[in-house]
Amino acid sequence: MQLNEGETGKKYEVQEMHLALETERRLEALGMTCRTVIAMMNKKRHGAVIVKVRGTRFALGKNIAENIQVKEAPVHE
């Protein structure tokens, strides 16, 4: 599923990113790589999302969120 389809309060694992090379490298430098677990903090009306990656909150626009493929993260108890 796409990141912008996720639900607030759930955790997701990044599967792949289909972004411009510069944008993808910037996100990787910030810690968002494949298999990284991210938490969906909030969703805005027009498709933007706020996620927590490795303890830091980021806002991602609709165009970026639509091009990040995720799956629901496994629950570790």
Side-chain angles (χ1 to χ4, degrees), residues 10-59:
K10 291 196 174 184
K11 292 187 179 187
Y12 297 94
E13 183 177 301
V14 176
Q15 295 299 296
E16 52 188 24
M17 296 187 278
H18 302 285
L19 300 164
L21 185 61
E22 183 177 310
T23 305
E24 192 168 331
R25 295 292 180 243
R26 176 66 59 94
L27 290 175
E28 287 175 355
L30 294 171
M32 185 183 290
T33 59
C34 288
R35 293 187 301 277
T36 299
V37 176
I38 59 176
M40 179 76 72
M41 303 300 287
N42 202 351
K43 290 174 68 172
K44 298 296 181 180
R45 226 181 289 184
H46 299 291
V49 296
I50 299 172
V51 296
K52 185 179 273 190
V53 181
R54 300 180 191 258
T56 304
R57 294 170 67 150
F58 294 106

